[in-house]
Amino acid sequence: MINLWFVIIAFLWTGYFVLEGFDFGVGLLAPFVGRNGAEHRQSLQTIGPVWDGNEVWLITAVGAMFAAFPVWYSGLFSTFYLPIMLILVGLIVRGVGLEWRGKVDNPFWCDLGIVIGSALPAFLWGAVFADLLYDSVVASLVGGAFTLAVCLLHGAVFLALRTDGPVRRRARTAALATTVVVVPLAVVALSRLGSVPALAAVAALAAGAALIWRRREGWAFTATAGAIVLTSVAVFAQLRGAPLPGLTLTEAASGPYTLTMLSWIGLIALPFVLVYQGWTYWVFRKRVALARG
């Protein structure tokens, strides 16, 4: 049960990083790939129907940690209290910006909130997990820069996949420019893990660059999503031995009765979440066209 719930929690965090990764990237890039109000709206409309649903993965992951591994949960969130509070502030500010942007006369402050609210979590999650692994300020900064760059690339590829016209062309250009930074950062950030998934993640990011160059946006998005999955696998494989320094999974876990009850709840709830998310993405799968007039 302990190993099962560790895998489930790793799966939930991975889903969050894959889905919110392109949300953050789009939020950061929208002011730059959209040269006017219509193009800016076109960019944000690609995540409009899904961004709040993507955050459910974070809520579920944190809730599962609290129930299955309360010692890990309390240690993680107390040790990294300040960065996690900044992440929450960023998510709130971004949500307000996305909801209010179409309801105010001057959307400048909403756009600024979306950019800041996307940048903070994109950087700080990488910094938190890097510090958790290495307990080093330098590693934390590298980890944060890496996840920020990956979100930019992932979001740029997603925009190229979901838009048309000038926004699509600029998103492709942004993706190609970002790979110049993200691939070297990946080598630096993931080389210390030294595992097969970590090395495969670097290869997937390089493949994403080649695919976006060939205008194969769908396969490029698969590559960047795969790189995030592989990175998450490498990180959680490392954390399995010690989720916190000096703490084993067994010491961090709840009792057998709690884990058994959680398993029944998860058996019912998790498939529902997956089906709902899949249905949402299927309904909104078409490219977002530029509004005229």
Side-chain angles (χ1 to χ4, degrees), residues 226-239:
I228 296 173
V229 171
L230 290 164
T231 300
S232 184
V233 168
V235 169
F236 278 96
Q238 191 87 353
L239 290 175

Side-chain angles (χ1 to χ4, degrees), residues 206-233:
L211 288 163
I212 197 68
W213 175 264
R214 293 173 60 85
R215 293 181 170 83
R216 303 295 296 273
E217 290 100 342
W219 284 110
F221 183 76
T222 301
T224 56
I228 296 173
V229 171
L230 290 164
T231 300
S232 184
V233 168

Side-chain angles (χ1 to χ4, degrees), residues 73-178:
Y73 167 88
S74 61
L76 176 67
F77 284 85
S78 60
T79 302
F80 299 102
Y81 179 82
L82 179 58
I84 288 175
M85 282 300 299
L86 290 174
I87 288 170
L88 292 177
V89 170
L91 293 176
I92 292 169
V93 169
R94 184 186 66 143
V96 170
L98 288 168
E99 291 292 340
W100 284 15
R101 190 180 189 280
K103 302 176 176 65
V104 296
D105 295 329
N106 183 2
F108 170 79
W109 292 108
C110 293
D111 293 339
L112 182 62
I114 293 169
V115 171
I116 294 173
S118 299
L120 280 175
F123 178 85
L124 289 173
W125 279 130
V128 165
F129 277 90
D131 193 86
L132 192 61
L133 289 173
Y134 303 119
D135 191 22
S136 164
V137 174
V138 174
S140 297
L141 293 175
V142 172
F146 168 65
T147 53
L148 179 61
V150 170
C151 287
L152 281 168
L153 175 60
H154 197 40
V157 173
F158 182 77
L159 277 173
L161 175 66
R162 292 294 317 282
T163 59
D164 60 10
V167 170
R168 181 185 181 188
R169 293 194 296 271
R170 294 185 198 118
R172 286 186 62 253
T173 301
L176 291 170
T178 304

